[in-house]
Amino acid sequence: MEKSRVTITDIARAAGTSTATVSNYLNGKWDKLGEKTRTRIATVIHDLGYVPNAQAQVLTGKQTHVIAVLILDNSNIWAGQIFQGIEQVALECGYQTVICNTDFNTQTESLCVEKMLSLGVDGFIVQPTTNFKAISDRIQRAGKAVVFYDCNPYNLASSWVKTNLYDGIYSAITTCVEHGYQDFVTIGARHASMRTRIERHEGFADALGAHGIGFQYLELSHTAPSASDLTRHFQLKLNPAHKTLIFVENQWALARVYQALKPMAHLIPKQIGLLGMNNQDWTGITSPSISTVVEPVREVGRLACTMLLDQLENGTSNVRQEILNCSVNWLESTL
């Protein structure tokens, strides 16, 4: 049998105070309460298992101090770094986060937004699908604050933060050209309509195009081709007379490519160069160590949350947009 909800009237009766006093306690107006009263109320709340009614708080216009974070894929290291950045700022400011994984699905994204609105979250931090405009309009019509991250910078009426993936990769590949690499291979998942994959690929392609250099593109998924299949491909397709740079566009794919290159490790970096993307968590301990383009992912999360809390705490409505610079951790796998 479901236990009946404890009310502030129950708290007041057990603590020997008025409901107004309990309300002051729950709303943080502790300057109106004596220390003994605060302690007594806190003890009763603990003993009775009182839980504030979030929907009632919403109806009275009170903040819940809960932020909804929508992400396209929460299963990778990149997502963990984003969450760390967001939660570091949120917790310091007394906010909790609810994580929603949309799995790149526009319908799931819309359902998540509606559910979070019904629960009364104070604001949203969203990595959007292609349904960017509709989601932005829905959240803003509901009167909620929203900051987007890792998104297309097309909507100048919204606040967002992203990294300059294109410029970062363009610069890294240009450096490899200047260091004498002649042939280039890029390995990555299907680009489809995913902004970050397109941006990485275009940065690579445009840097080479500026020097009149072509490249090979090898598509892979989470399951294929295998490391052994990649080994055979490299042995057949790489020109031993040319210095070749292999760029792995996806964070999760670098370990497989590195495994595939082990039979040719003696050719790294003089004949074969290897460049990853956001793999700095382990690439410094391999032999040879692996160069990687690095996004300031945690900083994206911290900044997105800071921007949202500025809206919530200070009533700021000004649109703010930030682009953070990428860097390259040059190690032994490239010259």
Side-chain angles (χ1 to χ4, degrees), residues 283-308:
T283 48
I285 60 175
T286 59
S287 182
S289 56
I290 307 170
S291 299
T292 182
V293 178
V294 180
E295 290 182 279
V297 183
R298 289 184 183 85
E299 182 57 30
V300 169
R302 285 192 291 267
L303 184 54
C305 194
T306 298
M307 290 163 63
L308 182 70

Side-chain angles (χ1 to χ4, degrees), residues 214-226:
F215 61 90
Q216 298 178 42
Y217 169 59
L218 180 60
E219 183 180 308
L220 84 171
S221 68
H222 283 279
T223 57
S226 65

Side-chain angles (χ1 to χ4, degrees), residues 5-25:
R5 176 181 288 275
V6 178
T7 68
I8 65 170
T9 301
D10 298 324
I11 301 282
R13 185 182 303 114
T17 64
S18 67
T19 55
T21 299
V22 176
S23 179
N24 285 333
Y25 176 88

Side-chain angles (χ1 to χ4, degrees), residues 107-120:
Q107 184 177 6
T108 301
E109 180 184 49
S110 295
L111 290 172
C112 288
V113 168
E114 294 304 322
K115 184 64 174 179
M116 292 299 103
L117 286 173
S118 71
L119 292 176

Side-chain angles (χ1 to χ4, degrees), residues 37-91:
T37 301
R38 294 200 307 268
T39 301
R40 192 163 64 252
I41 293 173
T43 299
V44 171
I45 287 174
H46 177 271
D47 291 345
L48 295 184
Y50 172 74
V51 178
N53 187 327
Q55 291 180 327
Q57 288 180 299
V58 173
L59 291 174
T60 57
K62 296 177 181 177
Q63 284 188 296
T64 59
H65 286 85
V66 176
I67 297 168
V69 180
L70 273 62
I71 192 163
L72 298 175
D73 178 9
N74 69 351
S75 64
N76 54 46
I77 295 172
W78 187 93
Q81 293 172 340
I82 282 286
F83 295 154
Q84 287 175 356
I86 291 172
E87 292 193 333
Q88 180 184 19
V89 174
L91 291 174

Side-chain angles (χ1 to χ4, degrees), residues 79-304:
Q81 293 172 340
I82 282 286
F83 295 154
Q84 287 175 356
I86 291 172
E87 292 193 333
Q88 180 184 19
V89 174
L91 291 174
E92 288 175 354
C93 297
Y95 284 78
Q96 297 291 324
T97 58
V98 177
I99 309 300
C100 301
N101 181 36
T102 61
D103 198 27
F104 302 93
N105 186 292
T106 56
Q107 184 177 6
T108 301
E109 180 184 49
S110 295
L111 290 172
C112 288
V113 168
E114 294 304 322
K115 184 64 174 179
M116 292 299 103
L117 286 173
S118 71
L119 292 176
V121 298
D122 292 338
F124 290 79
I125 300 175
V126 180
Q127 183 188 26
T129 66
T130 54
N131 206 27
F132 182 105
K133 185 67 167 62
I135 290 298
S136 178
D137 290 346
R138 175 65 181 113
I139 293 173
Q140 293 181 23
R141 280 200 310 273
K144 298 294 184 179
V146 59
V147 172
F148 293 94
Y149 68 99
D150 194 46
C151 59
N152 280 316
Y154 299 146
N155 189 344
L156 299 181
S158 297
S159 292
W160 46 258
V161 56
K162 67 180 291 292
T163 62
N164 64 342
L165 269 175
Y166 178 92
D167 289 344
I169 291 169
Y170 189 106
S171 176
I173 298 305
T174 298
T175 298
C176 290
V177 172
E178 292 170 348
H179 280 74
Y181 287 101
Q182 301 160 284
D183 291 349
F184 289 81
V185 179
T186 183
I187 300 175
R190 185 185 299 273
H191 301 142
S193 59
M194 291 182 59
R195 180 201 65 81
T196 54
R197 293 182 183 178
I198 293 172
E199 197 167 331
R200 290 176 224 157
H201 188 79
E202 289 182 345
F204 175 88
D206 289 355
L208 295 177
H211 293 84
I213 300 174
F215 61 90
Q216 298 178 42
Y217 169 59
L218 180 60
E219 183 180 308
L220 84 171
S221 68
H222 283 279
T223 57
S226 65
S228 57
D229 288 339
L230 285 171
T231 298
R232 287 190 289 271
H233 177 86
F234 294 147
Q235 290 172 335
L236 289 172
K237 298 296 184 179
L238 299 187
N239 185 344
H242 288 179
K243 288 178 60 177
T244 301
L245 188 282
I246 299 172
F247 172 51
V248 184
E249 298 179 7
N250 301 91
Q251 184 180 31
W252 49 265
L254 183 64
R256 195 189 319 170
V257 175
Y258 178 69
Q259 182 70 25
L261 286 171
K262 277 194 171 182
M264 293 162 273
H266 61 287
L267 299 177
I268 301 174
K270 291 186 177 180
Q271 290 302 119
I272 298 175
L274 180 60
L275 179 65
M277 182 76 223
N278 284 330
N279 298 98
Q280 67 276 16
D281 56 308
W282 61 271
T283 48
I285 60 175
T286 59
S287 182
S289 56
I290 307 170
S291 299
T292 182
V293 178
V294 180
E295 290 182 279
V297 183
R298 289 184 183 85
E299 182 57 30
V300 169
R302 285 192 291 267
L303 184 54

